[in-house]
Amino acid sequence: SLQGRSKKRSRKHQRFMERRAVLEQKGLLSPHRHLGSRTTESGLEAHTTLTKANGTVALHCDKVPKPKRVESASLSPSASPDSIARHHSVLLSQGNGSSKKVRTSSLVLRPGKYVAIDCEMVGTGPQGRLSELARCSVVNYEGDVIYDKYVRPELPIVDYRTRWSGITKQHMKNAIPFTAAQAEILKILKDKIVVGHAIHNDFQALKYFHPKDRTRDTSQSPVLKKRAGLPVRANVSLKNLARYLLHKKIQVGCKGHSSVEDAQTAMELYRLVEVQWEKELAHSLPPRPPSPVTDPAADSSQYLDDQYWPTDLMASSL
C-alpha cells in the first residue's frame, strides 16, 4: 500500500540521516554536503553514494564533467562591416584593451569575410599609357591563395612593363579574357572586406567600385604609418611598410612584382594592427538611428498611462 511504502521510505531516510550524523562527527563528511543528492561544484556534478564494507561506511564520489555550454557567435557571416567594427569596439571595452576576445569573435567571419587583392597591369592604347589588368591574385585571411590568374587585356598590349609587373608575352598564351576574369573576381569580392595597398588602382583595373566601408587600404592607414614611425600624410610604399613593420623584403630583383606576395603582405599588415584599426573605424562611424524597440515613441509601456484609457472605464473605476 502507499502508506506502507511511505513508512519504509521514512525509516530509510531516518537511517540515512543517522549515518550522515556519524560521518559528520568523525570528520569524514562536511556538514555542507548533502549525500544522496546531486550537487554541482566548479562545473562538476558529484554523485555521492554510501556503501557498507566490513561494518564501516565509506564515501565514494564519482565526478562527471558537466557538459560545457556552447555560446553562439554574436556575429553572423552576413554581418555588415559597420556592425563588425562596432563589435570590435565593444569587445575591446569589455576586455580592458585585450584583443583576445576580438580575435576569437572574428574567426567565425574571417574565412569568408576577409580577402586581400593585388593586380598587375600592362600598358595598352597610345604609347602604352593605358593600364589594363594582366594578372590578379586574391588571398584569404590566412594568406592562402584563392585566386591567381593571368588576364588578357581587351586592347593589344603595347608595354608589358615586365620590370614592375613581371608579365611577359609567354604569360598571355594561357590568359583568360578580361570579361571572364572580371566575373570570377567580382564574385569572390562580393560582400567581402577587401584589403589591399593603393587598392583604388586594382579596382580601377577591374573596372569596379567596392564600397568604402568594406575596403581596408594599407597605404591610407594612419595606424600603420604611426607604427612605422612615418608621418600620417606621407605616401608610403608596400615595400617600405613590409620592411619597417614585418621585417621582410619584397619586390626585389628585376623580374617584377609578385601579385600573390603583395596581396599576402597587405593582409599581414592588416592583421598586425587589425584590432586598433577596427576600433578607430568604429569610433569614426556615424551614430546609428534609435531602434524602434528602444525608441520612447514606440514603447508599449506608455499605453498604460491614463490618457490612453477609455473615459467611461476611468469614470467607473473612481
CSV table of all heavy atoms in Angstrom, one decimal, residues 306 309-318:
chain,number,residue,atom,x,y,z
A,306,ASP,N,-2.8,57.0,-18.1
A,306,ASP,CA,-4.3,57.3,-18.0
A,306,ASP,C,-4.8,57.8,-19.3
A,306,ASP,O,-6.0,57.6,-19.6
A,306,ASP,CB,-4.5,58.3,-16.9
A,306,ASP,CG,-4.2,57.6,-15.5
A,306,ASP,OD1,-4.1,56.4,-15.5
A,306,ASP,OD2,-4.2,58.4,-14.5
A,309,TRP,N,-6.6,55.3,-21.6
A,309,TRP,CA,-7.7,54.6,-21.1
A,309,TRP,C,-9.0,55.2,-21.5
A,309,TRP,O,-9.1,56.4,-21.5
A,309,TRP,CB,-7.6,54.4,-19.6
A,309,TRP,CG,-6.6,53.5,-19.1
A,309,TRP,CD1,-5.2,53.7,-19.1
A,309,TRP,CD2,-6.7,52.1,-18.7
A,309,TRP,NE1,-4.5,52.6,-18.6
A,309,TRP,CE2,-5.4,51.6,-18.4
A,309,TRP,CE3,-7.8,51.3,-18.5
A,309,TRP,CZ2,-5.2,50.4,-17.9
A,309,TRP,CZ3,-7.6,50.0,-18.0
A,309,TRP,CH2,-6.3,49.5,-17.7
A,310,PRO,N,-10.0,54.4,-21.8
A,310,PRO,CA,-11.3,55.0,-22.2
A,310,PRO,C,-11.9,55.8,-21.0
A,310,PRO,O,-11.8,55.4,-19.9
A,310,PRO,CB,-12.2,53.8,-22.5
A,310,PRO,CG,-11.2,52.7,-22.8
A,310,PRO,CD,-10.0,53.0,-22.0
A,311,THR,N,-12.6,56.9,-21.4
A,311,THR,CA,-13.1,57.8,-20.3
A,311,THR,C,-14.2,57.1,-19.5
A,311,THR,O,-14.3,57.3,-18.3
A,311,THR,CB,-13.7,59.1,-21.0
A,311,THR,OG1,-14.6,58.7,-22.0
A,311,THR,CG2,-12.6,59.9,-21.6
A,312,ASP,N,-15.1,56.3,-20.2
A,312,ASP,CA,-16.1,55.6,-19.4
A,312,ASP,C,-15.6,54.6,-18.4
A,312,ASP,O,-16.0,54.4,-17.3
A,312,ASP,CB,-17.1,55.0,-20.3
A,312,ASP,CG,-16.4,54.0,-21.3
A,312,ASP,OD1,-15.2,54.1,-21.4
A,312,ASP,OD2,-17.1,53.2,-21.9
A,313,LEU,N,-14.5,53.9,-18.8
A,313,LEU,CA,-13.8,53.0,-17.9
A,313,LEU,C,-13.2,53.7,-16.7
A,313,LEU,O,-13.2,53.2,-15.6
A,313,LEU,CB,-12.8,52.2,-18.7
A,313,LEU,CG,-12.1,51.0,-17.9
A,313,LEU,CD1,-13.1,50.0,-17.4
A,313,LEU,CD2,-11.1,50.3,-18.8
A,314,MET,N,-12.6,54.8,-17.0
A,314,MET,CA,-12.0,55.6,-16.0
A,314,MET,C,-13.0,56.1,-15.0
A,314,MET,O,-12.8,56.1,-13.8
A,314,MET,CB,-11.2,56.8,-16.6
A,314,MET,CG,-9.9,56.4,-17.3
A,314,MET,SD,-8.7,55.7,-16.3
A,314,MET,CE,-8.3,57.2,-15.3
A,315,ALA,N,-14.2,56.6,-15.4
A,315,ALA,CA,-15.2,57.1,-14.6
A,315,ALA,C,-15.8,56.0,-13.7
A,315,ALA,O,-16.1,56.2,-12.5
A,315,ALA,CB,-16.4,57.7,-15.4
A,316,SER,N,-15.9,54.8,-14.2
A,316,SER,CA,-16.4,53.7,-13.4
A,316,SER,C,-15.5,53.2,-12.3
A,316,SER,O,-15.9,52.6,-11.4
A,316,SER,CB,-16.8,52.5,-14.3
A,316,SER,OG,-15.7,52.0,-15.0
A,317,SER,N,-14.2,53.4,-12.6
A,317,SER,CA,-13.2,53.0,-11.6
A,317,SER,C,-13.1,53.9,-10.4
A,317,SER,O,-12.4,53.6,-9.4
A,317,SER,CB,-11.9,52.8,-12.3
A,317,SER,OG,-11.4,54.0,-12.8
A,318,LEU,N,-13.6,55.2,-10.6
A,318,LEU,CA,-13.5,56.2,-9.5
A,318,LEU,C,-14.5,55.9,-8.4
A,318,LEU,O,-15.6,55.5,-8.6
A,318,LEU,CB,-13.6,57.6,-10.1
A,318,LEU,CG,-12.5,58.0,-11.1
A,318,LEU,CD1,-12.8,59.3,-11.7
A,318,LEU,CD2,-11.2,58.0,-10.4
